[in-house]
Amino acid sequence: MKPAPFAYERPSDVAGVLALLGDGGPQKAILAGGQSLVLALARRARTPELVIDINRIAGLDAITVDGEGCLVIGATARLEEVRVHPAVRSGWPLIAEALGLVANPVVRRRGTLVGNLSNNGPGCEMAAVALVLDAEFVVERLGSDPSRVPSAIFLTLGGTVGFVTAVRFPPPSPGGFAFVELSRRPQHVCTLGAAVQLGPAGPVIALAGFATAIRCTAAEHASTPEALRAALAADLAGAGSADTLDEYRHDVAAVLVGDALAVARSRAA
Amino acid sequence: MTRPLRFGTRTPRREDPDLLRGEGKFLADLIPQGALWLTVVRSTDAHAIILGLDAEAAKAMPGVAAIVTAADLPAGLGHLPCVDLIDTSLPVFHPVLAGERIRYAGQPIAAVVASTPAQAEDAAAAVIVATRKLAPVLSAADALRPESPWLYPELGTNAVHVTRQLVGDPDAAFSVAALVVEETVAVHRVGAAPMEMRGCFGEVEPGSGRLVLTSTTQIPQSVRAHLAEILTRPAESILVRAPRLGGGFGLKEAMYPEEVLVLLLAERLGRPVAFLEDRREHFRSAVQAREETIRIRAAFAVDGTATAVDVACLADIGGAYGLVANAPGAAIANARGGYVMPNFRSVATSVVTNKPPLNVYRGAGHPQAVLAMERVMDKAATALGIDRAAIRRHNLIPAWMLPLDRGISYSGLPRQILDSGDYVHAFDMTLEAIGYAAFPARKAAFEAAHPRRKLGLGLSFMVEMTAVGPDEPAEIEVLPDGRVRLHAALTAMGQGIETVLGQVVADTLGIDLDAVEISLADTDRIPFAVGTYASRGGAVGGSAAAKAGKALIEVATDLGADLLGVDRSAVEWSEGAIVRRDGTNEPLPLVELARLAASAGRADALRASVRFAVPDTSFAYGAHAAIVEVDTGTGVVTVLDYAVTHDCGRLGNPMIVDGQIVGGVTQGIGATLYEEIAFDAAGRPLTQGFFDYPIPVAATAPRFHLLHLETPSPHNPLGMKGAGEAGFTGTPAAITNAVADALGQDLPLTRDPGPLSPARIRALLREREVAQAAGFSA
Amino acid sequence: MTGVGTNRVAIIVDGRAVAADVEPRTLLADFLRDTCGAVAVHIGCGEGTCGACTVALDGIAVRSCLMLAVQADGGTIVTAAGLAALDGPPDAQNLTPLQLAFRAHHALQCGFCTPGILVATALFLRANPHPTRAEIVDHLSGHLCRCTGNVPIIAAIEAAAGATAP
Ligand code: FES
Ligand code: FES
């Protein structure tokens, strides 16, 4: 549990990161909160030649609402800072609720939202939230303008697309919301999590827990418990396997989504 | 006049201030500067033949001091020990390093020593091991199938150790029984998972050349004796020390290859060599526990009297013996627990499989045996239409029947004579504490308000060997400043032993607790003792301490009379001082006596060395009850209330005893609901760390209701029995029974191994729904 | 080790300045224990799950096993050995009110988990002097204790919070 040797750089601006990152690849690792990366290094699951520490880049930790009313969360903004941020709590409460279930308070104070989503590990709650809220990722690469990558694409590519400087959430749709999850033990890694946001067009639903988070569009149109069960079966038909608990996930998805919808509707009322 | 006794009070713990300031002096804090670091290359295959090992490139890496494989070990080096062998046990011993055959993923293959831990890991990663994989055997049942490979082909079987018990005539009782209940109880593999992992370091003592091992062990004296055999050198040339442990729970009541390796390598390299386990390694190289399948059959009369029990236990002991060959066997011999059940038969078979070795963990085989028996009680109550509490009360051994010889004899264990107590009374206290009578109303109200959720109440009763012998040493001495130092052979691992022993010595001598120092687990001081396990520390260690204190009073009084120039009969010991019986003169306090003795050149006289012989085992017992809530939609089980009435004899320190019970129950909750060490189909461990091994946290704590009875043990002067394992022992049964009560006694909760996880509960409920839909339901 | 070099790390640990050249791969927990002699930093998992290695870095609780030493360069660290810097004044035995509450409630057995819990809890109570039981339970979600069953730890924190009531 000691990392293999690597070199370490601590650039002071984004340009410095891009220069060091070059074409990226497994030989380069970006160190933000480090709550996943350092463990991967210690277990030698990752053995990069260069670790690029972005923690001292000024301004990268900003949490702001931009001119278009979007919530923009910088690459080094800590999970806990996002969770308690007044703008997040009032405008995007689903984010705050889900963050309360991510890891634990100490890890949340260090880990970053962008890092959490870039890793998109098993049971990543925020991936489901990103799908529901239609988040996009601001990605910079050497020699090109920043691009915006939608969640649906980003979550399958992960941190390989370039240097993610921020995640952006569109303006809020006022309505009930809920994030509920199941785990092997309370406060443990999420086995299955349901994110629900009610909007003018009805509920938006996504599930975390399978190989990656899944937007459940069929379920969004189901009106009875039986219909929900059938719709989720369709939504999850192609879900990638996470571990030995897949059968359980399929079994309880309808119950969990039903619970989340009930909570969301009680809040909308 | 008399000072208040410390014994029996909630004396704050003496070990706390150091620990709270982070000055605990755990093993990792003691590693000498300049030590080299050992990393072990472990097998990634579960079952394989080693074809070749190439360490040449690794040897050339920076900082590497040595790389050692089985071929490099000294000729004649022994294997790891096993202490409960019988005539028919087959030889399946754990080698220090695997030679030809690998029998579990995680088994040590080579030792790499380098200047830093990171360099040792760098080199370990460069050691190339070529293997030919063999089909793995991953359960005891598989291991017994005729087509399964043998782990030790020369033995011609995978069943390596069998023990049997017979009391009365069970067959006759079964033939006339009104009801025969049969149950299969499969218990999964878990680990003690103490927060401090394993570690050790070896040194060569300058001058004497003695080998000095410092290790996270609960049994330093035994480790010394075993090392002498393994290394074929006199025990006098080996010294073993155990610092404070960050939890033990039986995981450190074992012998590990690294304990041998650090000594061999320290001697070879002329420098201290240290080993610290990491958490991923822990889940494949530290001993594991509990995995066994019990088939139990019990005969009942119509009135609910259990007349006979027949149990067969198949333990999956992994690739080689742990320190004990058959942890479940000893407990299965006691499967009747606190119930009369005059006729009894048991057979316990240990089977080798391609998993890490199985050893003891808090309660050893008792929790599994209690689970089996208590499932039978519930099933019998249901079948006979008798209340669950009533059938247990009916079968519990009444107080007048104690002491009761169970007619069991088990290799390496003393006679099984249940000594004292009032089982029925304890059981009734627990019923009261859990609200048994009011429970149906509570359940009905709750379930009416929560359609998807069910409440259940489960009961269990446990009896357990504690305070086991054969004996326990202690030494006591008066220091020049008049303070008293007790040397005990026990290991401190969180159980407050320094406080309890201090209380006993202070009381015995009539001195302040602060004037007593405790020194532990140093084989230089006390070379021979059995160790700290089986809930024995407080009772037998305390009794030895009391005996040492009394012996010290004798020699001090003798010396005092001598130094004062008076007749021995003119003085006596009182409140830490020598006083004249006639009341004349000032008392001569210990500190003065020490000074006088020193100036007379007789300081050496103020010491005593004793051995407390344990006449017989004390059996602690307890009645447990749990209330759980089960969400049938998600399968989530939540423990709401937990009640224990326990009788561990006199309570030396009630605060510490409560801590042991709550801690033990909590581990039992973890093992029953959350924890499992799992393997993939190739036998590779799926459990990498706490991410995959969720132990209980604050959020899983139930409301506790703790009660005590204090029936003094007749077998030691303090009247203590043990409490260390009691919490765990009754818990799997109480919780499993509570879940069965919530979901229906027909649900086969114990048919398959595994915790009662949300996924398992749902799978069982689905299976029942399918069966009911198909019209198969009873 | 070609090409990776070493980095200068200068930190203050429990009021003591320490500077050393370390390989970038050196974990903060190892640096604190091996180079700074801060043995109150306990390593219970090395994977960020147990919380035993928790220290305060510039007033924020961090897992020292999930940080590189070089990341802490220039920082100020408090371990359980210097808890008074985060908690109330210590008594004659050098125990702070929080430590005394742990002792009074038998909230430690082997004491291996304790230093991390103390540091995290002192910071938690600073931010939230009067937590509810649910907030305490949530706070403890990042700390594993195998001995106590956690109930006494909750009780000790409740008592410590009560003792500082305005
Ligand atoms: S050692 Fe860092 S969290 Fe366990
Ligand atoms: S007191 Fe031992 S782990 Fe917490």
Side-chain angles (χ1 to χ4, degrees), chain B residues 13 16 20-21 26 28-29 118 122 191-193 195 246-247 279 361 494 655 659 663 666-667 675 689-690 697 699, chain C residues 25 33 39-40 42 44-45 47 49 81 93-94 99 102-103 106 108-110 112 118 137 144 146-151:
Chain B
R13 297 198 324 162
D16 287 350
L20 287 162
R21 289 186 304 253
F26 293 99
D29 309 339
D122 295 344
M195 279 302 114
R279 196 48 89 174
Y361 166 29
M655 177 185 82
T666 301
Q667 290 186 0
E675 302 168 24
F690 288 120
V697 286
Chain C
R25 64 165 156 172
R33 288 186 54 85
V39 295
H42 290 171
C45 68
E47 58 177 28
T49 47
Q93 277 186 292
N94 201 18
Q99 286 166 326
F102 268 60
R103 189 178 194 206
H106 193 25
L108 66 158
Q109 288 184 23
C110 78
F112 199 80
L118 288 171
V137 165
L144 300 179
R146 194 55 156 165
C147 299
T148 63
N150 301 296
V151 181

Side-chain angles (χ1 to χ4, degrees), chain B residues 577-773:
Chain B
I578 312 256
V579 295
R580 295 262 195 149
R581 286 186 196 272
D582 61 12
T584 60
N585 291 19
E586 286 291 296
L588 178 66
L590 200 47
V591 52
E592 279 300 305
L593 180 64
R595 212 175 43 76
L596 282 180
S599 52
R602 295 176 65 185
D604 268 5
L606 285 175
R607 60 180 63 213
S609 172
V610 302
R611 202 161 263 272
F612 171 71
V614 181
D616 240 323
T617 302
S618 302
F619 286 80
Y621 62 91
H624 291 228
I627 293 178
V628 303
E629 176 190 320
V630 187
D631 183 332
T632 58
T634 60
V636 172
V637 177
T638 308
V639 186
L640 303 176
D641 287 275
Y642 204 96
V644 186
T645 304
H646 190 244
D647 186 347
C648 56
R650 292 193 55 207
L651 302 174
N653 186 324
M655 177 185 82
I656 289 175
V657 173
D658 284 352
Q660 289 293 313
I661 306 266
V662 171
V665 168
T666 301
Q667 290 186 0
I669 291 173
T672 310
L673 297 182
Y674 312 124
E675 302 168 24
E676 178 176 27
I677 297 179
F679 301 85
D680 70 11
R684 286 177 304 237
L686 292 169
T687 308
Q688 306 284 335
F690 288 120
F691 285 111
D692 319 298
Y693 197 79
I695 67 171
V697 286
T700 57
R703 273 186 301 272
F704 278 98
H705 313 267
L706 300 187
L707 298 167
H708 296 282
L709 277 178
E710 289 193 69
T711 314
S713 164
H715 302 318
N716 64 69
L718 299 173
M720 292 170 82
K721 307 168 187 175
E725 300 166 290
F728 198 124
T729 299
T731 305
I735 292 178
T736 306
N737 280 348
V739 174
D741 184 42
L743 299 180
Q745 295 290 349
D746 62 316
L747 207 62
L749 292 174
T750 61
R751 183 192 60 200
D752 309 307
L756 298 177
S757 64
R760 257 191 87 224
I761 296 289
R762 276 301 308 164
L764 288 166
L765 290 174
R766 265 197 332 267
E767 178 187 309
R768 183 166 68 183
E769 280 162 25
V770 170
Q772 280 171 350

Side-chain angles (χ1 to χ4, degrees), chain B residues 153-164:
Chain B
E154 68 278 15
L155 300 181
T157 177
N158 289 322
V160 294
H161 181 97
V162 185
T163 55
R164 297 171 196 279

